[in-house]
Amino acid sequence: MTPKNQRLTLAGLALAAVAGSSALALSGLKDQASFFYAPSDVAKQGLPLGRAVRLGGMVAGGSISRAADGVSIRFVVTDGQATTPVSFTGITPDLFRERSGVVAEGQFRPDGSFVATNLLAKHDERYMPPQVAGKMHETKTLRP
């Protein structure tokens, strides 16, 4: 075999190895990927049944109801155009409240409701922890 053929064979094997490892990585991540939906997306596109998704929006005012067990809650997520009922069992984040942003990870039921396995509370971009806000006021200097 000539040196040119050896190089071409080696390059072909390297390319096949990279393609094979990429295919394995993508097939492994396929089940772990979580798609993001808003309630209006679900209303337009239909329910993505049987796979893990993220549902994002605002918690509708007056929609949070807590069960007697202390860890189960039901609430409604809205994006201003559509709403989706959500149920969750577990400890909610500290920032979780009505009229605040939330991302719920879980799955849709055939009846259109969403069963969350994890809640992520969101805050707006102007949020500042109280400790940082206090330090900023202490270090603020006035210009003459």
Side-chain angles (χ1 to χ4, degrees):
M1 195 181 278
T2 65
K4 181 179 180 181
N5 287 341
Q6 287 178 346
R7 285 192 304 267
L8 287 175
T9 303
L10 185 61
L13 288 174
L15 186 61
V18 168
S21 63
S22 297
L24 283 174
L26 289 176
S27 69
L29 290 175
K30 173 177 65 173
D31 294 334
Q32 298 299 320
S34 184
F35 298 97
F36 183 84
Y37 291 92
S40 60
D41 295 335
V42 175
K44 291 176 191 171
Q45 300 171 5
L47 295 174
L49 296 174
R51 65 178 187 191
V53 295
R54 290 181 176 175
L55 175 69
M58 301 294 283
V59 178
S63 69
I64 297 176
S65 66
R66 300 188 184 275
D69 64 5
V71 292
S72 298
I73 63 168
R74 293 184 178 276
F75 59 96
V76 174
V77 173
T78 183
D79 61 357
Q81 299 175 359
T83 61
T84 302
V86 178
S87 62
F88 174 71
T89 300
I91 299 172
T92 59
D94 290 339
L95 294 175
F96 179 79
R97 63 179 65 88
E98 295 175 350
R99 295 183 183 89
S100 69
V102 68
V103 175
E105 298 175 337
Q107 291 186 341
F108 280 97
R109 289 185 183 161
D111 66 357
S113 65
F114 189 81
V115 178
T117 56
N118 190 22
L119 290 182
L120 306 169
K122 299 183 341 181
H123 53 75
D124 65 4
E125 64 277 356
R126 294 173 287 148
Y127 173 76
M128 188 176 301
Q131 298 86 357
V132 174
K135 292 290 183 190
M136 286 183 65
H137 290 295
E138 290 173 12
T139 59
K140 193 174 192 178
T141 59
L142 298 174
R143 296 185 182 199

